[in-house]
Amino acid sequence: MAEVSFEFFPAKTDEKAAALLRVAQRLAAYEPRFMSVTYGAGGSSRERTLEALRQMVEALPIPLAGHLTCVNAAKGEVDDVARAYWDLGVKHIVALRGDAPVAKGEAPTPYRPHPEGYHYAADLVAGLKKIAPFEISVAAYPETHPEAQSAQSDIEHLKEKFDAGADRAITQFFFDPECFLRFRDRAVKAGINKPIVPGILPIGKAAQAWRFAKMCGASVPEELKTLFEGVDDLPPIRTRLSAVVVDRLCQRLRAEGVEHFHFYTLNQSVPTSTLCTLLGRQRSHPLVELAS
């Protein structure tokens, strides 16, 4: 049976925080390997991330992971967040370089390391290992990081993160399974022998998914765009079509030996629950109403 893990983003209001906890409780019934909570650009959601994890620690019997970035923070500030995670009982960190916050309507600015901070994710991984024996996941990019000099240099940076102590990589989402499989082959050729977990985005509204893809540098096959054309206004068809398309992606990966899938839930339970069921995950308690 395939392993799964889930990613959430911290809520901005008390009402949405309560809804997020309900979603996490529903998805916890699939007994994921871990659940993670993201950390906003430049650490902008630090307190909300900590609060979301605090609530989940109290409510869920599932291992939790907190994201942590290098952006706009001195090493001491980043280390303090890591210690706060540890004190909460969160022993797993998703260590990322991160991106600078972008004001609405403005273009992204090039990444600049904080002069007193960790410069890159490999530095962060090494620093975290000095603080406590964290389990550490890092990011990987099947279609190459948008700022990388080349696909080969991107693989080399990933190997540096593993050499610094990372336990696994979780990829950016993708829609073509061959992108992941070719990337995995290149990683093995470069001497990487630790797990690379595919990041899977359950497609909700197609327009939203394509927008996310453009922001992240993920390609959308033309046949996929054609398939979803006009269905955003037809929720029943869209929901079924999305489940079929993403399950087909996962099954192709399973046929090539992939047995752990990391779902970007977008704080929704229904799409991810559907895919977990199709992957053969059994719930640990009876199905409850899935309203979100």
Side-chain angles (χ1 to χ4, degrees):
M1 182 168 57
E3 284 193 313
V4 295
S5 53
F6 307 134
E7 181 172 305
F8 307 101
F9 57 84
K12 294 183 178 181
T13 67
D14 290 344
E15 182 180 3
K16 289 183 178 180
L20 170 58
L21 186 58
R22 290 193 296 271
V23 168
Q25 288 171 319
R26 291 166 185 153
L27 291 178
Y30 290 98
E31 299 182 339
R33 182 162 183 171
F34 62 88
M35 293 178 164
S36 71
V37 180
T38 64
Y39 194 75
S44 56
S45 70
R46 169 178 171 173
E47 295 307 319
R48 295 197 304 273
T49 298
L50 286 167
E51 181 56 29
L53 286 168
R54 187 177 295 112
Q55 292 179 7
M56 290 182 186
V57 165
E58 294 173 355
L60 305 173
I62 302 296
L64 297 169
H67 288 219
L68 194 53
T69 69
C70 304
V71 178
N72 288 357
K75 289 182 180 180
E77 297 174 83
V78 175
D79 292 352
D80 285 346
V81 177
R83 294 188 184 96
Y85 283 159
W86 188 269
D87 291 345
L88 276 178
V90 176
K91 315 296 187 184
H92 180 176
I93 289 179
V94 180
L96 308 166
R97 189 204 72 177
D99 296 304
V102 179
K104 189 173 182 179
E106 293 186 6
T109 57
Y111 172 75
R112 291 185 177 85
H114 189 287
E116 298 176 4
Y118 294 107
H119 285 192
Y120 296 99
D123 306 318
L124 176 57
V125 171
L128 292 172
K129 287 293 188 180
K130 293 177 182 178
I131 294 171
F134 285 107
E135 178 179 353
I136 297 180
S137 297
V138 293
Y141 299 86
E143 299 179 80
T144 305
H145 191 283
E147 297 177 23
Q149 293 180 349
S150 67
Q152 182 57 36
S153 68
D154 202 33
I155 288 282
E156 291 168 0
H157 288 314
L158 177 60
K159 190 172 187 303
E160 289 173 2
K161 291 186 275 190
F162 278 122
D163 291 344
D167 297 286
R168 77 176 56 76
I170 301 169
T171 76
Q172 179 59 268
F173 68 83
F174 52 91
F175 297 112
D176 179 356
E178 303 309 316
C179 286
F180 174 85
L181 296 172
R182 289 192 296 267
F183 174 77
R184 188 179 64 173
D185 288 345
R186 295 201 309 273
V188 170
K189 188 175 180 180
I192 294 171
N193 56 14
K194 290 187 178 179
I196 298 178
V197 180
I200 304 296
L201 179 71
I203 301 172
K205 289 189 175 182
Q208 181 189 53
W210 309 161
R211 186 170 66 253
F212 287 161
K214 183 177 181 180
M215 291 168 56
C216 300
S219 63
V220 183
E222 285 302 318
E223 58 267 29
L224 198 59
K225 292 180 181 178
T226 300
L227 189 63
F228 277 86
E229 190 172 346
V231 303
D232 272 356
D233 296 326
L234 303 168
I237 295 175
R238 185 188 71 217
T239 299
R240 290 167 176 78
L241 183 61
S242 297
V244 169
V245 166
V246 182
D247 178 59
R248 187 180 298 167
L249 167 66
C250 293
Q251 297 302 340
R252 171 73 179 105
L253 297 177
R254 288 192 79 180
E256 294 293 334
V258 174
E259 283 298 330
H260 181 177
F261 299 87
H262 184 75
F263 289 103
Y264 296 108
T265 70
L266 302 182
N267 292 8
Q268 302 291 313
S269 60
V270 174
T272 298
S273 293
T274 302
L275 292 165
C276 286
T277 301
L278 290 168
L279 284 169
R281 296 295 303 182
Q282 300 296 315
R283 293 177 60 88
S284 59
H285 56 69
L287 192 68
V288 296
E289 179 186 359
L290 296 178
S292 63

